[in-house]
C-alpha cells in the first residue's frame, strides 16, 4: 500500500469515526466499535502507531468541539483508544490472519468467532473500567446496557467489514484457469 492510499484510508476512518462520535451523543451510541474496526483494519500495514495518534487527536478535538475541557478530552481519548487498540491486538493474537482472509485453517469458524467475541467483550470491559474511573457514579443498568450494546456493535461491524473486504478483494471471475498443454511426466 502506498503512503497516499494509507493516508486516504486513515482520513476516511477519521471522518467516519468523528461522525460516529457526534451522532453517538444524540443516539446513545458509542464510538468504540468504529475505533476498534479502524485499529483492526489498519493494523496489517504495520503503522498502527500513526493510527493511534490520529485516533487520539480526533477524539480530543471532537471532545473539545463538544464543549469538554482539554484534560477531560484527553481522558476521553484514552477511554476510547486503549480498548480499541486492545481489541485489534487480541484479534491479531487469538485469530491470526483472520482479517486478511487466511489464518488458522485448523480451527472451526465457530471457534474463531468465539475468540473474536471474547476480544470484543474484553475490550468493552476495559472501556467500562476506564469509564468508571473517569466518570464515577454509573448505574448498573448503564454498565450492562453498554456492555451488550458495544459487544454486539463491535461484532456486527467487524463481521460486516470482513465480508465487505472479502468481496472487494476477491479475484475476478473472468480469469481462466491454467491448463497444461502436454504431459511432461515421461522425460
Amino acid at each position: 500500500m502506498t503512503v497516499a492510499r494509507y493516508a486516504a484510508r486513515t482520513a476516511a476512518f477519521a471522518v467516519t469515526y468523528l461522525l460516529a462520535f457526534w451522532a453517538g451523543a444524540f443516539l446513545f451510541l458509542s464510538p468504540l466499535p468504529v475505533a476498534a474496526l479502524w485499529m483492526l483494519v489498519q493494523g496489517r500495514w504495520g503503522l498502527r502507531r500513526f493510527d493511534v495518534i490520529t485516533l487520539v487527536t480526533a477524539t480530543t478535538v471532537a471532545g473539545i468541539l463538544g464543549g469538554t475541557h482539554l484534560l477531560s478530552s484527553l481522558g476521553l481519548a484514552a477511554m476510547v483508544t486503549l480498548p480499541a487498540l486492545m481489541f485489534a491486538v487480541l484479534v491479531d493474537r487469538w485469530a491470526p490472519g483472520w482479517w486478511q482472509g487466511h489464518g488458522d485453517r485448523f480451527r472451526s469458524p465457530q471457534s474463531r468467532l468465539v475468540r473474536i467475541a471474547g476480544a470484543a467483550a474484553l475490550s468493552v470491559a476495559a472501556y467500562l473500567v476506564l469509564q468508571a474511573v473517569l466518570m464515577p457514579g454509573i448505574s448498573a443498568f448503564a454498565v450492562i446496557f453498554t456492555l451488550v450494546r458495544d459487544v454486539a456493535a463491535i461484532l456486527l461491524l467487524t463481521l460486516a467489514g470482513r465480508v465487505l473486504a472479502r468481496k472487494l478483494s476477491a479475484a475476478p471471475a473472468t480469469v481462466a484457469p491454467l491448463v497444461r498443454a502436454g504431459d511432461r511426466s515421461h522425460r
Side-chain angles (χ1 to χ4, degrees):
M1 176 180 287
T2 63
V3 174
R5 186 169 176 207
Y6 183 82
R9 282 175 56 146
T10 301
F13 271 114
V15 168
T16 305
Y17 173 77
L18 287 174
L19 290 174
F21 186 89
W22 285 320
F26 300 110
L27 303 174
F28 299 108
L29 298 175
S30 172
L32 180 61
V34 175
L37 182 67
W38 180 357
M39 291 294 120
L40 181 64
V41 171
Q42 293 287 83
R44 87 183 250 199
W45 305 110
L47 300 174
R48 192 173 275 160
R49 63 186 175 273
F50 297 127
D51 291 307
V52 168
I53 292 168
T54 306
L55 181 59
V56 168
T57 303
T59 307
T60 304
V61 169
I64 289 172
L65 292 177
T68 310
H69 298 290
L70 177 63
L71 190 57
S72 297
S73 294
L74 288 172
L76 179 65
M79 187 174 76
V80 172
T81 304
L82 294 175
L85 185 61
M86 181 178 168
F87 174 74
V89 169
L90 286 176
V91 168
D92 285 345
R93 300 281 181 188
W94 290 353
W98 175 76
W99 184 260
Q100 289 85 10
H102 56 81
D104 196 356
R105 298 174 291 153
F106 304 108
R107 288 202 175 89
S108 67
Q110 293 84 9
S111 174
R112 277 181 268 153
L113 183 61
V114 166
R115 289 169 182 246
I116 294 165
L122 282 175
S123 66
V124 173
Y127 175 78
L128 289 170
V129 167
L130 291 171
Q131 186 179 20
V133 168
L134 293 172
M135 302 173 205
I138 299 172
S139 69
F141 173 76
V143 169
I144 292 170
F145 176 74
T146 302
L147 182 68
V148 171
R149 176 197 65 194
D150 286 354
V151 169
I154 288 173
L155 278 175
L156 288 175
L157 197 59
T158 302
L159 293 174
R162 179 65 200 118
V163 168
L164 181 66
R166 230 183 208 176
K167 287 192 184 283
L168 292 177
S169 68
T174 59
V175 176
L178 181 63
V179 178
R180 283 203 165 166
D183 187 17
R184 297 184 182 187
S185 62
H186 297 296
R187 284 194 169 192

